């Protein structure tokens, strides 16, 4: 399993006008091909009067599924440029549709490639590209005397505290990249001289978005 990958946070769109043609870039996170195809059909239905609705998507841990279509534009001038942007941005589990309303001026092969590429980038930007990390939620139980030591440890090692409970003992839930779990466990044990109890609660993907850790 991938320990980290780039994708988009949410549905997003943006519009650009080039030589009187309007290009609308849509992007959305998807989990499988059925979801990608449903999103593409949704946009095509919304813009059934458009000149073209050009789709592309990338799915899978190793970009196993890559699909695109020119939707009537000259071969290689629309779908491939959209797909190439997804690949260059190194995003996966993402579907994109670029809708075009023809403005009366032919753009030529190079112009189409640049226009569809630009619209894709705008759609991705407004969907917010994020990096997801595979991590572990670690439950740490300790005595009140050890609160400061653990808070200092987690702060120094940039380990976010997701929850804290203060009862007979203190319980912290921290979020750790899977690659650092043993390192952090050892550091906690040493910091409080073995007085802390630890339990791996669950493994999940998470991302740092606008200064906040979000779990998926």
């Amino acid at each position: 399993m991938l320990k980290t990958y780039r994708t988009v946070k949410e549905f997003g769109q943006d519009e650009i006008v080039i030589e009187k043609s309007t290009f609308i870039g849509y992007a959305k996170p998807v989990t499988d091909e059925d979801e990608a195809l449903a999103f593409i059909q949704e946009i095509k239905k919304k813009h059934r009067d458009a000149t073209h609705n050009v789709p592309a998507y990338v799915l899978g841990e190793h970009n196993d599924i890559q699909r695109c279509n020119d939707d009537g534009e000259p071969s290689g001038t629309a779908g491939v440029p959209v797909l190439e942007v997804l690949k260059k941005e190194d995003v996966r589990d993402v579907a994109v549709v670029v809708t075009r309303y023809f403005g009366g001026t032919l753009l030529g092969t190079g112009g189409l490639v640049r226009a569809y590429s630009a619209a894709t980038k705008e759609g991705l930007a407004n969907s917010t590209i994020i990096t997801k990390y595979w991590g572990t939620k670690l439950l740490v139980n300790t005595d009140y005397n050890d609160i400061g030591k653990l808070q200092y440890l987690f702060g120094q090692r940039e380990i976010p505290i997701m929850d804290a409970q203060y009862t007979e003992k203190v319980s912290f839930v921290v979020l750790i990249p899977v690659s650092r779990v043993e390192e952090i466990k050892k550091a906690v044990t040493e910091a409080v001289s073995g007085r802390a109890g630890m339990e791996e609660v669950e493994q999940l993907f998470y991302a740092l978005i606008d200064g906040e850790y979000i779990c998926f």
Side-chain angles (χ1 to χ4, degrees), residues 28-42 57 59 65 67 95:
K28 184 181 181 181
V30 292
T31 57
D32 55 37
E33 196 159 17
D34 286 342
E35 194 173 334
L37 294 172
F39 169 63
I40 291 165
Q41 289 304 312
E42 176 188 343
Y57 53 89
L59 296 165
I65 300 175
R67 303 278 189 270

Side-chain angles (χ1 to χ4, degrees), residues 39-110:
F39 169 63
I40 291 165
Q41 289 304 312
E42 176 188 343
I43 300 302
K44 285 187 172 183
K45 182 178 179 181
K46 178 178 180 179
H47 294 288
R48 56 167 57 93
D49 60 334
T51 317
H52 306 280
N53 287 290
V54 175
Y57 53 89
V58 176
L59 296 165
E61 184 172 336
H62 302 290
N63 297 337
D64 311 281
I65 300 175
Q66 301 179 26
R67 303 278 189 270
C68 66
N69 191 292
D70 291 311
D71 194 41
E73 292 281 29
S75 180
T77 64
V80 170
V82 173
L83 182 60
E84 284 301 311
V85 170
L86 297 181
K87 291 163 65 176
K88 287 178 181 177
E89 292 287 349
D90 192 28
V91 292
R92 64 202 69 201
D93 294 347
V94 178
V96 167
V97 180
V98 177
T99 296
R100 181 190 185 188
Y101 286 91
F102 182 56
T105 301
L106 297 175
L107 299 181
T109 300

Side-chain angles (χ1 to χ4, degrees), residues 44-216:
K44 285 187 172 183
K45 182 178 179 181
K46 178 178 180 179
H47 294 288
R48 56 167 57 93
D49 60 334
T51 317
H52 306 280
N53 287 290
V54 175
Y57 53 89
V58 176
L59 296 165
E61 184 172 336
H62 302 290
N63 297 337
D64 311 281
I65 300 175
Q66 301 179 26
R67 303 278 189 270
C68 66
N69 191 292
D70 291 311
D71 194 41
E73 292 281 29
S75 180
T77 64
V80 170
V82 173
L83 182 60
E84 284 301 311
V85 170
L86 297 181
K87 291 163 65 176
K88 287 178 181 177
E89 292 287 349
D90 192 28
V91 292
R92 64 202 69 201
D93 294 347
V94 178
V96 167
V97 180
V98 177
T99 296
R100 181 190 185 188
Y101 286 91
F102 182 56
T105 301
L106 297 175
L107 299 181
T109 300
L112 286 172
V113 170
R114 288 189 292 273
Y116 278 101
S117 298
T120 303
K121 291 176 183 177
E122 292 298 322
L124 289 175
N126 281 275
S127 301
T128 309
I129 294 177
I130 61 174
T131 300
K132 286 187 175 182
Y133 300 90
W134 185 239
T136 296
K137 279 187 175 181
L138 181 69
L139 174 64
V140 181
N141 295 304
T142 191
D143 297 326
Y144 276 80
N145 291 335
D146 295 326
I147 293 177
K149 294 176 183 178
L150 291 183
Q151 288 176 329
Y152 177 78
L153 169 67
F154 297 141
Q156 284 293 101
R157 303 198 180 213
E158 298 183 336
I159 299 300
I161 299 174
M162 304 300 290
D163 189 28
Q165 299 291 328
Y166 301 91
T167 54
E168 293 84 2
K169 285 197 169 187
V170 180
S171 297
F172 293 118
V173 176
V174 294
L175 193 55
I176 309 170
V178 289
S179 60
R180 298 185 63 195
V181 170
E182 294 308 314
E183 167 207 334
I184 299 303
K185 281 184 174 181
K186 181 179 179 181
V188 167
T189 298
E190 292 176 352
V192 299
S193 303
R195 289 187 295 275
M198 288 174 278
E199 177 187 352
E200 295 182 35
V201 179
E202 64 176 324
Q203 292 189 329
L204 72 177
F205 277 107
Y206 70 93
L208 180 60
I209 303 172
D210 297 329
E212 181 180 359
Y213 286 90
I214 305 296
C215 297
F216 297 91

